[in-house]
């Protein structure tokens, strides 16, 4: 009897879990193993609404085991190093695991400690972040506590997951201040290391109008580097002039710097920037043809979102199964990413675009317009599709 090919998947998040389920559904001749340290799986896109007080964190959480079919091996451990020339990897507990084919999807690393004073004050003193499952619920507490003063929303100089999330939380906060009758006494400000409110022109134009209409201030090219929690002062540095900007705040929502996970950065799988070095159209590794990667840890130069994974997944599976069968894959990933830009608890702009920043929209109407229907899509329909289709291997 022909022996089964061993496929090992590193990370059981959005990318790893959806690929594992898809492979399990399609092929019975594979020995599938997923290495995932966490007992819980989180649907992170919901954290925007958790931070906005719409849902509790528990709504975004499921037991990981509920998604692992009985014929798939789940190793509850963390990968520490790769030996791709010998086709094995090593885990934190010292296990050596060999494979025929490898899928690497451990997500992005959040570098909280790169901002001085942040770790000590996160979740206190009006400092919050939707990017931390431990603290996302404190965003809503911080929003409700504001009675006057400045609410600041930051955006770092590094690549991040869901580049729209740092501003979605701001629109929900501004709406909260209005609903609670304190907006007149508050200043709302977006302080970003980036150059503009959004990368894609069509949606940028629409968002700039919203900022103006809702009297939200912006400062670009300023990167947060230090927080003094007890005195509520945030320190930013201008990327060009080096000028330091000191801002007193009542509420500070921090989008922290992020990077490839350290164990990827130091591995032979990484490119110069630390990401898993794959072909941008096929997801196949540029040096090791039996290695594939998708999602936030990959070098795919798209906007890092779960929506992008929905399009990367089928391409990865196509090329992986072709490699297993000794043929050549035919599908190509065009850089599709999507970002439902929630602008209030009843409106949303659904941005969808490709590698070239060209809109790549689903609906036959102008998606740059704020719509209630797109908010319902974000709040109910996409989460339903995530749990019931994507997490069961239907992309
Ligand atoms: P993840 O889903 O993060 O999974 C990585 C997995 O790898 C984790 O389970 C982790 O435990 C595991 N892992 C880590 N290290 C190791 C190791 N050493 N060994 C083994 N396993 C390891 N996307 C959208 O499409 N739309 C949105 O509206 C949206 N909003 C967002 C809002 C917020 C606040 C956040 C935080 C994210 C948002 N995203 C959104 C982004 C989306 O959640 C991510 O892009 C997506 O989850 C990335 O999937 P991934 O599989 O690459 O990583």
């Amino acid at each position: 009897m022909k022996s089964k090919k061993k496929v090992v998947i590193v990370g059981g998040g959005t990318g790893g879990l959806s690929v594992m389920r898809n492979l399990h559904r399609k092929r019975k001749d594979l020995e599938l193993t997923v290495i995932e340290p966490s007992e819980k799986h989180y649907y992170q896109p919901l954290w925007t609404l958790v931070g906005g007080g719409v849902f509790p964190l528990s709504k975004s959480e499921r037991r990981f085991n509920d998604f692992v079919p009985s014929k798939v091996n789940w190793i509850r451990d963390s990968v520490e190093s790769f030996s791709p020339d010998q086709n094995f990897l090593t885990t934190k507990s010292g296990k050596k695991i060999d494979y025929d084919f490898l899928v690497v999807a451990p997500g992005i690393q959040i570098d909280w400690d790169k901002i001085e004073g942040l770790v000590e004050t996160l979740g206190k003193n009006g400092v919050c972040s939707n990017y931390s499952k431990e603290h996302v619920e404190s965003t809503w507490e911080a929003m409700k506590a504001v009675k006057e003063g400045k609410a600041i929303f930051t955006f770092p100089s590094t690549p991040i997951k869901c580049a729209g999330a740092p501003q979605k939380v701001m629109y929900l906060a501004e709406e909260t201040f209005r609903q609670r009758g304190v907006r007149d006494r508050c200043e709302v400000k977006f302080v970003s290391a980036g150059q503009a409110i959004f990368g894609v022109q069509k949606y940028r134009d629409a968002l700039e109008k919203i900022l103006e209409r809702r009297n939200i201030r912006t400062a670009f090219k300023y990167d947060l580097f230090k927080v003094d929690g007890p005195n509520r002062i945030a320190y930013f540095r201008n990327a060009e002039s080096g000028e330091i900007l000191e801002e007193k705040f009542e509420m500070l929502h921090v989008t922290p710097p992020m990077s490839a996970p350290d164990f990827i950065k130091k591995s032979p799988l990484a490119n110069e920037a630390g990401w898993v070095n794959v072909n941008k159209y096929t997801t196949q590794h540029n040096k090791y043809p039996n290695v594939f990667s998708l999602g936030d840890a990959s070098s795919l130069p798209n906007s890092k979102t779960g929506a992008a994974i929905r399009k990367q997944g089928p391409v990865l599976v196509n090329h992986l199964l072709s490699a297993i069968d000794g043929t050549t894959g035919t599908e190509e990933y065009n850089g599709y990413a999507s970002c439902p830009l929630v602008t209030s608890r009843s409106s949303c702009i659904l941005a969808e675009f490709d590698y070239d920043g060209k809109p790549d929209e689903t609906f036959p109407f102008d998606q740059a317009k704020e719509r209630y229907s797109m908010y319902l899509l974000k709040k109910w329909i996409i989460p339903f599709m995530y749990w019931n289709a994507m997490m069961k291997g239907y992309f």
Side-chain angles (χ1 to χ4, degrees):
M1 208 173 76
K2 233 170 85 183
S3 70
K4 289 185 167 185
K5 291 283 183 220
K6 283 187 195 165
V7 180
V8 172
I9 297 163
V10 177
T14 304
L17 197 45
S18 56
V19 163
M20 178 264 276
R21 290 298 299 261
N22 189 267
L23 289 171
H24 174 74
R25 216 166 44 72
K26 284 196 171 135
R27 295 278 288 252
K28 301 296 164 222
D29 60 338
L30 305 176
E31 184 185 317
L32 291 174
T33 298
V34 59
I35 307 173
E36 166 57 56
S38 177
E39 261 193 336
K40 304 261 175 70
H41 176 85
Y42 290 91
Y43 175 57
Q44 300 167 47
L46 212 69
W47 293 355
T48 289
L49 298 182
V50 174
V54 178
F55 289 125
L57 177 67
S58 56
K59 263 270 186 212
S60 67
E61 180 185 290
R62 297 280 194 280
R63 278 165 20 125
F64 182 68
N65 207 16
D66 292 345
F67 294 91
V68 185
S70 59
K71 293 227 164 78
V72 174
N73 310 313
W74 170 24
I75 297 178
R76 191 168 173 215
D77 205 342
S78 299
V79 174
E80 259 194 0
S81 65
F82 296 94
S83 304
D85 290 309
Q86 288 87 32
N87 293 334
F88 76 86
L89 55 80
T90 310
T91 69
K92 201 170 169 188
S93 70
K95 278 196 199 88
K96 205 175 132 188
I97 295 165
D98 58 358
Y99 58 83
D100 296 308
F101 293 87
L102 182 69
V103 177
V104 186
I108 201 164
Q109 171 175 293
I110 300 201
D111 298 323
W112 299 104
D113 53 353
K114 292 249 163 79
I115 295 178
E116 195 186 326
L118 178 59
V119 175
E120 300 89 294
T121 196
L122 193 58
K124 297 190 293 235
N125 305 313
V127 182
C128 55
S129 180
N130 282 357
Y131 281 87
S132 154
K133 71 170 179 306
E134 287 77 21
H135 298 104
V136 56
E137 287 179 309
S138 71
T139 300
W140 177 228
E141 296 308 316
M143 265 183 212
K144 285 190 294 182
V146 172
K147 307 232 162 29
E148 61 184 351
K150 209 178 269 185
I152 298 176
F153 300 83
T154 75
F155 190 110
S157 58
T158 64
I160 61 169
K161 52 182 158 187
C162 194
Q167 62 183 288
K168 301 179 204 180
V169 56
M170 173 173 75
Y171 300 128
L172 295 180
E174 197 272 342
E175 183 188 35
T176 305
F177 304 155
R178 270 188 285 125
Q179 287 171 342
R180 297 175 82 84
V182 299
R183 179 67 178 93
D184 293 352
R185 283 173 269 143
C186 296
E187 188 181 329
V188 179
K189 194 166 179 182
F190 191 66
V191 185
S192 166
Q195 313 258 2
I197 194 70
F198 202 72
V200 179
Q201 188 73 48
K202 172 171 179 170
Y203 308 111
R204 184 190 312 158
D205 292 346
L207 292 164
E208 281 172 352
K209 288 195 187 111
I210 293 169
L211 294 173
E212 204 183 317
R213 189 179 80 227
R214 290 169 66 171
N215 192 21
I216 297 173
R217 307 253 165 97
T218 53
F220 292 108
K221 300 183 195 162
Y222 284 94
D223 201 9
L224 179 73
F225 68 94
K226 180 175 158 187
V227 182
D228 174 349
N231 293 307
R232 299 200 180 212
I233 303 172
Y235 296 84
F236 298 86
R237 189 178 288 111
N238 186 287
E240 280 164 10
S241 64
E243 175 215 339
I244 304 293
L245 175 70
E246 262 184 58
E247 291 272 21
K248 185 104 180 87
F249 63 82
E250 207 39 46
M251 171 181 174
L252 178 71
H253 179 275
V254 179
T255 299
M258 302 180 203
S259 63
D262 288 340
F263 79 104
I264 298 288
K265 277 187 206 124
K266 62 176 202 233
S267 82
L269 300 180
N271 69 6
E272 272 174 15
W275 311 103
V276 185
N277 181 10
V278 292
N279 180 295
K280 73 185 242 193
Y281 300 112
T282 67
T283 78
Q284 188 166 26
H285 200 275
N286 284 319
K287 284 195 203 139
Y288 303 100
N290 62 338
V291 178
F292 295 79
S293 177
L294 81 173
D296 295 351
S298 74
S299 65
L300 299 167
N302 59 281
S303 170
K304 294 182 185 298
T305 58
I309 291 172
R310 196 165 59 78
K311 300 285 184 175
Q312 294 165 5
V315 175
L316 184 148
V317 168
N318 172 256
H319 286 272
L320 171 62
L321 292 179
S322 303
I324 291 172
D325 296 338
T327 60
T328 307
T330 50
E331 293 191 20
E332 279 199 354
Y333 173 57
N334 73 349
Y336 171 91
S338 153
C339 187
L341 291 152
V342 172
T343 54
S344 75
R345 291 174 189 82
S346 57
S347 58
C348 177
I349 286 174
L350 182 64
E352 294 184 288
F353 47 92
D354 66 12
Y355 273 142
D356 304 321
K358 275 212 313 279
D360 184 4
E361 300 184 342
T362 303
F363 298 102
F365 48 68
D366 179 8
Q367 287 185 204
K369 216 174 143 211
E370 293 174 274
R371 289 172 198 273
Y372 182 50
S373 57
M374 294 299 101
Y375 179 73
L376 295 179
L377 184 83
K378 160 79 187 167
K379 184 177 176 188
W380 298 114
I381 298 170
I382 302 177
F384 180 85
M385 284 163 54
Y386 184 82
W387 294 118
N388 294 292
M390 200 166 162
M391 289 302 102
K392 293 185 176 161
Y394 298 90
F395 288 113

